[in-house]
Amino acid sequence: MRDLGVRVGHWTGEHTGCTVLVFERATVASGEVRGGAPASREFELLDPTRANAGIDAVLLTGGSAFGLAAADGVMRWLAEHGRGVPTPGGLVPIVPTLGLYDLDGSGNTPESEQGYEACDAAMAPFEPALDGPVGAGRGATVGQWRGVTLPSGLRSATVTAGRLQVHVLAAVNAFGEPGPIDRGLLRPEGFASGSFGRNTTIGVVVTNARLDKVACALTAQGAHDGLAKAISPVHTRMDGDAFVAAATGEVEASVDVVRALAVEAVAEAVGTP
């Protein structure tokens, strides 16, 4: 994503981690939540009716709601580097943060220092791995809907139409799993595992299109449509599925085309076993 002015960095622990996307400049963005049990911070600012005009970074983190504390470190790093909204009291970086549930009982969750380390890692001279059990995907799993726990992780994809690019990075921690649902396993009384709120697929769509916040919101909706193409069952009450969509503004493009590409990019990324 560096050709779009976006740097990605991870902090990866033993069972959890976090991933930050740092934008070269304040970037227009919006988002949408469709799952029943989200963990988030500063997400309300993404509403097109809110005054905020741009974000400085997005943080994807493990640790459930505890992991949202890693955003403190991201904010501190950004402020030290002169980023944020100017206020009488100093710069205030804008960092929408999405958390997923990967708690293992050890009490180890991403904290402020880990968010700061992820930002340092984003400045490394090489592009980090964007797929596998790294960063926010370290403790991600899928399959609990049928009573199993399968390893998952970060997933990424890029789709294009001429000069238009749409990139997606998602931490796939779904109650469901990639592929069509096996209807023979469904029972009226409920799923094989009904642990409330222990999952969530979270992600970021970045495009080089020139979009406003409303168009970014529509693109985030497309990301969820792509998730619905890839994961079964999807958007359950056990999930907190959420996507942020950000537009860096280099290419004039129809929002309908951008949204269509977002659907395909998420389906391609998340649908990879």
Side-chain angles (χ1 to χ4, degrees), residues 224-261:
H224 282 286
D225 295 342
L227 187 64
K229 288 181 66 174
I231 294 287
S232 299
V234 71
H235 300 142
T236 73
R237 290 184 307 129
M238 282 66 77
D239 291 293
D241 303 326
F243 277 91
V244 173
T248 59
E250 288 83 19
V251 177
E252 290 289 347
S254 161
V255 63
D256 294 305
V257 174
V258 176
R259 179 173 176 164
L261 292 178

PDB file of all heavy atoms in Angstrom, residues 224-261:
ATOM      1  N   HIS A 224     -18.546  -5.129   3.579  1.00  0.00           N
ATOM      2  CA  HIS A 224     -19.368  -6.104   4.294  1.00  0.00           C
ATOM      3  C   HIS A 224     -20.082  -7.051   3.326  1.00  0.00           C
ATOM      4  O   HIS A 224     -20.273  -8.242   3.624  1.00  0.00           O
ATOM      5  CB  HIS A 224     -20.387  -5.387   5.171  1.00  0.00           C
ATOM      6  CG  HIS A 224     -19.825  -4.859   6.442  1.00  0.00           C
ATOM      7  ND1 HIS A 224     -19.493  -5.674   7.500  1.00  0.00           N
ATOM      8  CD2 HIS A 224     -19.520  -3.598   6.829  1.00  0.00           C
ATOM      9  CE1 HIS A 224     -19.024  -4.943   8.492  1.00  0.00           C
ATOM     10  NE2 HIS A 224     -19.023  -3.684   8.108  1.00  0.00           N
ATOM     11  N   ASP A 225     -20.479  -6.540   2.169  1.00  0.00           N
ATOM     12  CA  ASP A 225     -21.081  -7.416   1.166  1.00  0.00           C
ATOM     13  C   ASP A 225     -20.076  -8.479   0.718  1.00  0.00           C
ATOM     14  O   ASP A 225     -20.428  -9.646   0.525  1.00  0.00           O
ATOM     15  CB  ASP A 225     -21.547  -6.600  -0.040  1.00  0.00           C
ATOM     16  CG  ASP A 225     -22.674  -5.633   0.292  1.00  0.00           C
ATOM     17  OD1 ASP A 225     -23.324  -5.821   1.337  1.00  0.00           O
ATOM     18  OD2 ASP A 225     -22.880  -4.685  -0.486  1.00  0.00           O
ATOM     19  N   GLY A 226     -18.817  -8.065   0.565  1.00  0.00           N
ATOM     20  CA  GLY A 226     -17.775  -9.031   0.221  1.00  0.00           C
ATOM     21  C   GLY A 226     -17.573 -10.056   1.315  1.00  0.00           C
ATOM     22  O   GLY A 226     -17.351 -11.247   1.038  1.00  0.00           O
ATOM     23  N   LEU A 227     -17.657  -9.606   2.571  1.00  0.00           N
ATOM     24  CA  LEU A 227     -17.536 -10.533   3.695  1.00  0.00           C
ATOM     25  C   LEU A 227     -18.662 -11.559   3.651  1.00  0.00           C
ATOM     26  O   LEU A 227     -18.451 -12.749   3.903  1.00  0.00           O
ATOM     27  CB  LEU A 227     -17.556  -9.760   5.010  1.00  0.00           C
ATOM     28  CG  LEU A 227     -17.271 -10.551   6.282  1.00  0.00           C
ATOM     29  CD1 LEU A 227     -15.858 -11.116   6.270  1.00  0.00           C
ATOM     30  CD2 LEU A 227     -17.481  -9.669   7.512  1.00  0.00           C
ATOM     31  N   ALA A 228     -19.868 -11.091   3.306  1.00  0.00           N
ATOM     32  CA  ALA A 228     -21.007 -12.004   3.229  1.00  0.00           C
ATOM     33  C   ALA A 228     -20.859 -13.010   2.093  1.00  0.00           C
ATOM     34  O   ALA A 228     -21.407 -14.116   2.163  1.00  0.00           O
ATOM     35  CB  ALA A 228     -22.302 -11.205   3.061  1.00  0.00           C
ATOM     36  N   LYS A 229     -20.112 -12.655   1.052  1.00  0.00           N
ATOM     37  CA  LYS A 229     -19.846 -13.603  -0.026  1.00  0.00           C
ATOM     38  C   LYS A 229     -18.847 -14.678   0.393  1.00  0.00           C
ATOM     39  O   LYS A 229     -18.852 -15.778  -0.155  1.00  0.00           O
ATOM     40  CB  LYS A 229     -19.286 -12.876  -1.247  1.00  0.00           C
ATOM     41  CG  LYS A 229     -20.277 -12.029  -2.011  1.00  0.00           C
ATOM     42  CD  LYS A 229     -19.623 -11.364  -3.214  1.00  0.00           C
ATOM     43  CE  LYS A 229     -19.183 -12.374  -4.259  1.00  0.00           C
ATOM     44  NZ  LYS A 229     -18.678 -11.712  -5.495  1.00  0.00           N
ATOM     45  N   ALA A 230     -18.002 -14.341   1.361  1.00  0.00           N
ATOM     46  CA  ALA A 230     -16.873 -15.214   1.684  1.00  0.00           C
ATOM     47  C   ALA A 230     -17.069 -16.068   2.924  1.00  0.00           C
ATOM     48  O   ALA A 230     -16.487 -17.155   3.025  1.00  0.00           O
ATOM     49  CB  ALA A 230     -15.612 -14.367   1.864  1.00  0.00           C
ATOM     50  N   ILE A 231     -17.826 -15.570   3.911  1.00  0.00           N
ATOM     51  CA  ILE A 231     -17.937 -16.224   5.212  1.00  0.00           C
ATOM     52  C   ILE A 231     -19.362 -16.720   5.451  1.00  0.00           C
ATOM     53  O   ILE A 231     -20.327 -16.016   5.156  1.00  0.00           O
ATOM     54  CB  ILE A 231     -17.565 -15.243   6.352  1.00  0.00           C
ATOM     55  CG1 ILE A 231     -16.093 -14.857   6.267  1.00  0.00           C
ATOM     56  CG2 ILE A 231     -17.892 -15.832   7.728  1.00  0.00           C
ATOM     57  CD1 ILE A 231     -15.132 -15.948   6.675  1.00  0.00           C
ATOM     58  N   SER A 232     -19.492 -17.922   5.990  1.00  0.00           N
ATOM     59  CA  SER A 232     -20.797 -18.465   6.377  1.00  0.00           C
ATOM     60  C   SER A 232     -20.690 -19.156   7.731  1.00  0.00           C
ATOM     61  O   SER A 232     -19.757 -19.938   7.934  1.00  0.00           O
ATOM     62  CB  SER A 232     -21.287 -19.479   5.339  1.00  0.00           C
ATOM     63  OG  SER A 232     -21.440 -18.885   4.075  1.00  0.00           O
ATOM     64  N   PRO A 233     -21.635 -18.892   8.649  1.00  0.00           N
ATOM     65  CA  PRO A 233     -22.579 -17.775   8.672  1.00  0.00           C
ATOM     66  C   PRO A 233     -21.841 -16.475   8.955  1.00  0.00           C
ATOM     67  O   PRO A 233     -20.720 -16.492   9.478  1.00  0.00           O
ATOM     68  CB  PRO A 233     -23.519 -18.143   9.821  1.00  0.00           C
ATOM     69  CG  PRO A 233     -22.669 -18.965  10.739  1.00  0.00           C
ATOM     70  CD  PRO A 233     -21.748 -19.740   9.848  1.00  0.00           C
ATOM     71  N   VAL A 234     -22.454 -15.352   8.604  1.00  0.00           N
ATOM     72  CA  VAL A 234     -21.773 -14.064   8.701  1.00  0.00           C
ATOM     73  C   VAL A 234     -22.611 -13.073   9.504  1.00  0.00           C
ATOM     74  O   VAL A 234     -23.841 -13.221   9.614  1.00  0.00           O
ATOM     75  CB  VAL A 234     -21.488 -13.516   7.280  1.00  0.00           C
ATOM     76  CG1 VAL A 234     -22.775 -13.064   6.596  1.00  0.00           C
ATOM     77  CG2 VAL A 234     -20.444 -12.414   7.293  1.00  0.00           C
ATOM     78  N   HIS A 235     -21.944 -12.062  10.088  1.00  0.00           N
ATOM     79  CA  HIS A 235     -22.622 -10.978  10.817  1.00  0.00           C
ATOM     80  C   HIS A 235     -23.549 -11.523  11.905  1.00  0.00           C
ATOM     81  O   HIS A 235     -24.649 -11.019  12.107  1.00  0.00           O
ATOM     82  CB  HIS A 235     -23.434 -10.109   9.850  1.00  0.00           C
ATOM     83  CG  HIS A 235     -22.611  -9.455   8.790  1.00  0.00           C
ATOM     84  ND1 HIS A 235     -23.058  -9.298   7.487  1.00  0.00           N
ATOM     85  CD2 HIS A 235     -21.363  -8.919   8.813  1.00  0.00           C
ATOM     86  CE1 HIS A 235     -22.133  -8.690   6.772  1.00  0.00           C
ATOM     87  NE2 HIS A 235     -21.088  -8.455   7.563  1.00  0.00           N
ATOM     88  N   THR A 236     -23.095 -12.546  12.612  1.00  0.00           N
ATOM     89  CA  THR A 236     -23.922 -13.109  13.680  1.00  0.00           C
ATOM     90  C   THR A 236     -23.817 -12.254  14.937  1.00  0.00           C
ATOM     91  O   THR A 236     -23.001 -11.337  15.032  1.00  0.00           O
ATOM     92  CB  THR A 236     -23.463 -14.542  14.024  1.00  0.00           C
ATOM     93  OG1 THR A 236     -22.218 -14.482  14.742  1.00  0.00           O
ATOM     94  CG2 THR A 236     -23.284 -15.393  12.779  1.00  0.00           C
ATOM     95  N   ARG A 237     -24.646 -12.569  15.934  1.00  0.00           N
ATOM     96  CA  ARG A 237     -24.576 -11.863  17.215  1.00  0.00           C
ATOM     97  C   ARG A 237     -23.293 -12.204  17.961  1.00  0.00           C
ATOM     98  O   ARG A 237     -22.916 -11.520  18.911  1.00  0.00           O
ATOM     99  CB  ARG A 237     -25.786 -12.209  18.088  1.00  0.00           C
ATOM    100  CG  ARG A 237     -27.085 -11.634  17.560  1.00  0.00           C
ATOM    101  CD  ARG A 237     -28.239 -11.910  18.496  1.00  0.00           C
ATOM    102  NE  ARG A 237     -28.330 -13.324  18.809  1.00  0.00           N
ATOM    103  CZ  ARG A 237     -28.400 -13.816  20.051  1.00  0.00           C
ATOM    104  NH1 ARG A 237     -28.367 -13.012  21.088  1.00  0.00           N
ATOM    105  NH2 ARG A 237     -28.497 -15.109  20.247  1.00  0.00           N
ATOM    106  N   MET A 238     -22.584 -13.238  17.533  1.00  0.00           N
ATOM    107  CA  MET A 238     -21.307 -13.594  18.135  1.00  0.00           C
ATOM    108  C   MET A 238     -20.136 -12.844  17.506  1.00  0.00           C
ATOM    109  O   MET A 238     -19.004 -12.964  17.953  1.00  0.00           O
ATOM    110  CB  MET A 238     -21.068 -15.106  18.021  1.00  0.00           C
ATOM    111  CG  MET A 238     -21.847 -15.938  19.034  1.00  0.00           C
ATOM    112  SD  MET A 238     -23.631 -15.899  18.820  1.00  0.00           S
ATOM    113  CE  MET A 238     -23.855 -17.000  17.427  1.00  0.00           C
ATOM    114  N   ASP A 239     -20.390 -12.099  16.429  1.00  0.00           N
ATOM    115  CA  ASP A 239     -19.351 -11.348  15.732  1.00  0.00           C
ATOM    116  C   ASP A 239     -19.486  -9.852  16.011  1.00  0.00           C
ATOM    117  O   ASP A 239     -20.551  -9.374  16.398  1.00  0.00           O
ATOM    118  CB  ASP A 239     -19.473 -11.556  14.212  1.00  0.00           C
ATOM    119  CG  ASP A 239     -19.116 -12.955  13.773  1.00  0.00           C
ATOM    120  OD1 ASP A 239     -17.934 -13.322  13.897  1.00  0.00           O
ATOM    121  OD2 ASP A 239     -20.013 -13.682  13.300  1.00  0.00           O
ATOM    122  N   GLY A 240     -18.407  -9.122  15.767  1.00  0.00           N
ATOM    123  CA  GLY A 240     -18.451  -7.664  15.850  1.00  0.00           C
ATOM    124  C   GLY A 240     -17.958  -7.042  14.569  1.00  0.00           C
ATOM    125  O   GLY A 240     -17.295  -6.014  14.577  1.00  0.00           O
ATOM    126  N   ASP A 241     -18.279  -7.649  13.445  1.00  0.00           N
ATOM    127  CA  ASP A 241     -17.706  -7.299  12.143  1.00  0.00           C
ATOM    128  C   ASP A 241     -17.764  -5.799  11.850  1.00  0.00           C
ATOM    129  O   ASP A 241     -18.821  -5.171  11.935  1.00  0.00           O
ATOM    130  CB  ASP A 241     -18.434  -8.048  11.034  1.00  0.00           C
ATOM    131  CG  ASP A 241     -18.401  -9.545  11.234  1.00  0.00           C
ATOM    132  OD1 ASP A 241     -17.390 -10.048  11.760  1.00  0.00           O
ATOM    133  OD2 ASP A 241     -19.381 -10.217  10.867  1.00  0.00           O
ATOM    134  N   ALA A 242     -16.619  -5.234  11.454  1.00  0.00           N
ATOM    135  CA  ALA A 242     -16.550  -3.806  11.154  1.00  0.00           C
ATOM    136  C   ALA A 242     -15.461  -3.545  10.124  1.00  0.00           C
ATOM    137  O   ALA A 242     -14.413  -4.189  10.132  1.00  0.00           O
ATOM    138  CB  ALA A 242     -16.268  -3.003  12.420  1.00  0.00           C
ATOM    139  N   PHE A 243     -15.714  -2.580   9.232  1.00  0.00           N
ATOM    140  CA  PHE A 243     -14.744  -2.162   8.231  1.00  0.00           C
ATOM    141  C   PHE A 243     -14.642  -0.644   8.199  1.00  0.00           C
ATOM    142  O   PHE A 243     -15.643   0.062   8.349  1.00  0.00           O
ATOM    143  CB  PHE A 243     -15.147  -2.640   6.828  1.00  0.00           C
ATOM    144  CG  PHE A 243     -14.744  -4.048   6.520  1.00  0.00           C
ATOM    145  CD1 PHE A 243     -15.619  -5.098   6.784  1.00  0.00           C
ATOM    146  CD2 PHE A 243     -13.498  -4.329   5.978  1.00  0.00           C
ATOM    147  CE1 PHE A 243     -15.260  -6.404   6.501  1.00  0.00           C
ATOM    148  CE2 PHE A 243     -13.128  -5.639   5.695  1.00  0.00           C
ATOM    149  CZ  PHE A 243     -14.011  -6.680   5.963  1.00  0.00           C
ATOM    150  N   VAL A 244     -13.438  -0.161   7.987  1.00  0.00           N
ATOM    151  CA  VAL A 244     -13.169   1.236   7.681  1.00  0.00           C
ATOM    152  C   VAL A 244     -12.793   1.320   6.209  1.00  0.00           C
ATOM    153  O   VAL A 244     -12.046   0.468   5.707  1.00  0.00           O
ATOM    154  CB  VAL A 244     -12.024   1.791   8.549  1.00  0.00           C
ATOM    155  CG1 VAL A 244     -11.632   3.204   8.100  1.00  0.00           C
ATOM    156  CG2 VAL A 244     -12.420   1.789  10.023  1.00  0.00           C
ATOM    157  N   ALA A 245     -13.309   2.324   5.523  1.00  0.00           N
ATOM    158  CA  ALA A 245     -12.927   2.571   4.127  1.00  0.00           C
ATOM    159  C   ALA A 245     -12.312   3.952   4.033  1.00  0.00           C
ATOM    160  O   ALA A 245     -12.903   4.942   4.484  1.00  0.00           O
ATOM    161  CB  ALA A 245     -14.138   2.461   3.205  1.00  0.00           C
ATOM    162  N   ALA A 246     -11.117   4.035   3.439  1.00  0.00           N
ATOM    163  CA  ALA A 246     -10.389   5.294   3.334  1.00  0.00           C
ATOM    164  C   ALA A 246     -10.017   5.550   1.879  1.00  0.00           C
ATOM    165  O   ALA A 246      -9.691   4.611   1.136  1.00  0.00           O
ATOM    166  CB  ALA A 246      -9.126   5.258   4.192  1.00  0.00           C
ATOM    167  N   ALA A 247     -10.063   6.826   1.475  1.00  0.00           N
ATOM    168  CA  ALA A 247      -9.793   7.195   0.084  1.00  0.00           C
ATOM    169  C   ALA A 247      -8.692   8.244   0.027  1.00  0.00           C
ATOM    170  O   ALA A 247      -8.826   9.319   0.612  1.00  0.00           O
ATOM    171  CB  ALA A 247     -11.061   7.733  -0.579  1.00  0.00           C
ATOM    172  N   THR A 248      -7.608   7.932  -0.683  1.00  0.00           N
ATOM    173  CA  THR A 248      -6.464   8.838  -0.714  1.00  0.00           C
ATOM    174  C   THR A 248      -6.556   9.902  -1.816  1.00  0.00           C
ATOM    175  O   THR A 248      -5.776  10.848  -1.821  1.00  0.00           O
ATOM    176  CB  THR A 248      -5.153   8.047  -0.876  1.00  0.00           C
ATOM    177  OG1 THR A 248      -5.205   7.279  -2.086  1.00  0.00           O
ATOM    178  CG2 THR A 248      -4.939   7.121   0.309  1.00  0.00           C
ATOM    179  N   GLY A 249      -7.502   9.745  -2.767  1.00  0.00           N
ATOM    180  CA  GLY A 249      -7.867  10.862  -3.622  1.00  0.00           C
ATOM    181  C   GLY A 249      -7.065  11.147  -4.865  1.00  0.00           C
ATOM    182  O   GLY A 249      -7.114  12.256  -5.381  1.00  0.00           O
ATOM    183  N   GLU A 250      -6.355  10.170  -5.409  1.00  0.00           N
ATOM    184  CA  GLU A 250      -5.546  10.439  -6.593  1.00  0.00           C
ATOM    185  C   GLU A 250      -6.295  10.255  -7.910  1.00  0.00           C
ATOM    186  O   GLU A 250      -5.876  10.790  -8.937  1.00  0.00           O
ATOM    187  CB  GLU A 250      -4.308   9.523  -6.622  1.00  0.00           C
ATOM    188  CG  GLU A 250      -3.233   9.865  -5.611  1.00  0.00           C
ATOM    189  CD  GLU A 250      -3.519   9.271  -4.246  1.00  0.00           C
ATOM    190  OE1 GLU A 250      -4.322   8.321  -4.163  1.00  0.00           O
ATOM    191  OE2 GLU A 250      -2.934   9.767  -3.265  1.00  0.00           O
ATOM    192  N   VAL A 251      -7.385   9.474  -7.912  1.00  0.00           N
ATOM    193  CA  VAL A 251      -8.040   9.092  -9.162  1.00  0.00           C
ATOM    194  C   VAL A 251      -9.531   9.418  -9.099  1.00  0.00           C
ATOM    195  O   VAL A 251     -10.212   9.064  -8.122  1.00  0.00           O
ATOM    196  CB  VAL A 251      -7.854   7.575  -9.429  1.00  0.00           C
ATOM    197  CG1 VAL A 251      -8.597   7.150 -10.691  1.00  0.00           C
ATOM    198  CG2 VAL A 251      -6.377   7.227  -9.539  1.00  0.00           C
ATOM    199  N   GLU A 252     -10.050  10.090 -10.137  1.00  0.00           N
ATOM    200  CA  GLU A 252     -11.486  10.292 -10.244  1.00  0.00           C
ATOM    201  C   GLU A 252     -12.144   8.953 -10.580  1.00  0.00           C
ATOM    202  O   GLU A 252     -11.727   8.263 -11.512  1.00  0.00           O
ATOM    203  CB  GLU A 252     -11.810  11.312 -11.338  1.00  0.00           C
ATOM    204  CG  GLU A 252     -11.408  12.731 -11.006  1.00  0.00           C
ATOM    205  CD  GLU A 252     -12.292  13.345  -9.921  1.00  0.00           C
ATOM    206  OE1 GLU A 252     -13.350  12.761  -9.617  1.00  0.00           O
ATOM    207  OE2 GLU A 252     -11.911  14.393  -9.379  1.00  0.00           O
ATOM    208  N   ALA A 253     -13.170   8.591  -9.807  1.00  0.00           N
ATOM    209  CA  ALA A 253     -13.804   7.288 -10.025  1.00  0.00           C
ATOM    210  C   ALA A 253     -15.235   7.305  -9.508  1.00  0.00           C
ATOM    211  O   ALA A 253     -15.565   8.028  -8.568  1.00  0.00           O
ATOM    212  CB  ALA A 253     -13.012   6.177  -9.317  1.00  0.00           C
ATOM    213  N   SER A 254     -16.057   6.490 -10.117  1.00  0.00           N
ATOM    214  CA  SER A 254     -17.436   6.305  -9.675  1.00  0.00           C
ATOM    215  C   SER A 254     -17.455   5.526  -8.371  1.00  0.00           C
ATOM    216  O   SER A 254     -16.786   4.489  -8.246  1.00  0.00           O
ATOM    217  CB  SER A 254     -18.222   5.539 -10.740  1.00  0.00           C
ATOM    218  OG  SER A 254     -19.396   4.962 -10.197  1.00  0.00           O
ATOM    219  N   VAL A 255     -18.243   5.987  -7.417  1.00  0.00           N
ATOM    220  CA  VAL A 255     -18.340   5.268  -6.154  1.00  0.00           C
ATOM    221  C   VAL A 255     -18.922   3.870  -6.365  1.00  0.00           C
ATOM    222  O   VAL A 255     -18.589   2.929  -5.641  1.00  0.00           O
ATOM    223  CB  VAL A 255     -19.164   6.054  -5.122  1.00  0.00           C
ATOM    224  CG1 VAL A 255     -20.610   6.236  -5.577  1.00  0.00           C
ATOM    225  CG2 VAL A 255     -19.148   5.349  -3.768  1.00  0.00           C
ATOM    226  N   ASP A 256     -19.775   3.717  -7.368  1.00  0.00           N
ATOM    227  CA  ASP A 256     -20.352   2.395  -7.615  1.00  0.00           C
ATOM    228  C   ASP A 256     -19.290   1.404  -8.078  1.00  0.00           C
ATOM    229  O   ASP A 256     -19.318   0.225  -7.704  1.00  0.00           O
ATOM    230  CB  ASP A 256     -21.468   2.498  -8.657  1.00  0.00           C
ATOM    231  CG  ASP A 256     -22.652   3.311  -8.152  1.00  0.00           C
ATOM    232  OD1 ASP A 256     -23.186   2.967  -7.083  1.00  0.00           O
ATOM    233  OD2 ASP A 256     -23.016   4.292  -8.807  1.00  0.00           O
ATOM    234  N   VAL A 257     -18.319   1.891  -8.870  1.00  0.00           N
ATOM    235  CA  VAL A 257     -17.220   1.015  -9.284  1.00  0.00           C
ATOM    236  C   VAL A 257     -16.319   0.708  -8.095  1.00  0.00           C
ATOM    237  O   VAL A 257     -15.906  -0.441  -7.887  1.00  0.00           O
ATOM    238  CB  VAL A 257     -16.422   1.664 -10.428  1.00  0.00           C
ATOM    239  CG1 VAL A 257     -15.189   0.831 -10.760  1.00  0.00           C
ATOM    240  CG2 VAL A 257     -17.295   1.818 -11.662  1.00  0.00           C
ATOM    241  N   VAL A 258     -16.019   1.728  -7.289  1.00  0.00           N
ATOM    242  CA  VAL A 258     -15.180   1.499  -6.109  1.00  0.00           C
ATOM    243  C   VAL A 258     -15.840   0.495  -5.179  1.00  0.00           C
ATOM    244  O   VAL A 258     -15.195  -0.435  -4.664  1.00  0.00           O
ATOM    245  CB  VAL A 258     -14.913   2.825  -5.366  1.00  0.00           C
ATOM    246  CG1 VAL A 258     -14.122   2.561  -4.092  1.00  0.00           C
ATOM    247  CG2 VAL A 258     -14.167   3.802  -6.254  1.00  0.00           C
ATOM    248  N   ARG A 259     -17.131   0.665  -4.966  1.00  0.00           N
ATOM    249  CA  ARG A 259     -17.841  -0.272  -4.078  1.00  0.00           C
ATOM    250  C   ARG A 259     -17.817  -1.685  -4.647  1.00  0.00           C
ATOM    251  O   ARG A 259     -17.603  -2.654  -3.906  1.00  0.00           O
ATOM    252  CB  ARG A 259     -19.289   0.195  -3.881  1.00  0.00           C
ATOM    253  CG  ARG A 259     -20.108  -0.719  -2.993  1.00  0.00           C
ATOM    254  CD  ARG A 259     -21.470  -0.152  -2.685  1.00  0.00           C
ATOM    255  NE  ARG A 259     -22.268  -1.106  -1.913  1.00  0.00           N
ATOM    256  CZ  ARG A 259     -23.367  -0.771  -1.251  1.00  0.00           C
ATOM    257  NH1 ARG A 259     -23.790   0.468  -1.243  1.00  0.00           N
ATOM    258  NH2 ARG A 259     -24.043  -1.687  -0.590  1.00  0.00           N
ATOM    259  N   ALA A 260     -18.022  -1.816  -5.953  1.00  0.00           N
ATOM    260  CA  ALA A 260     -17.988  -3.147  -6.570  1.00  0.00           C
ATOM    261  C   ALA A 260     -16.620  -3.798  -6.387  1.00  0.00           C
ATOM    262  O   ALA A 260     -16.517  -5.002  -6.101  1.00  0.00           O
ATOM    263  CB  ALA A 260     -18.340  -3.051  -8.051  1.00  0.00           C
ATOM    264  N   LEU A 261     -15.562  -3.002  -6.549  1.00  0.00           N
ATOM    265  CA  LEU A 261     -14.217  -3.542  -6.351  1.00  0.00           C
ATOM    266  C   LEU A 261     -13.976  -3.908  -4.891  1.00  0.00           C
ATOM    267  O   LEU A 261     -13.276  -4.885  -4.596  1.00  0.00           O
ATOM    268  CB  LEU A 261     -13.168  -2.539  -6.824  1.00  0.00           C
ATOM    269  CG  LEU A 261     -13.107  -2.277  -8.328  1.00  0.00           C
ATOM    270  CD1 LEU A 261     -12.052  -1.231  -8.634  1.00  0.00           C
ATOM    271  CD2 LEU A 261     -12.816  -3.565  -9.099  1.00  0.00           C
TER     272      LEU A 261
END
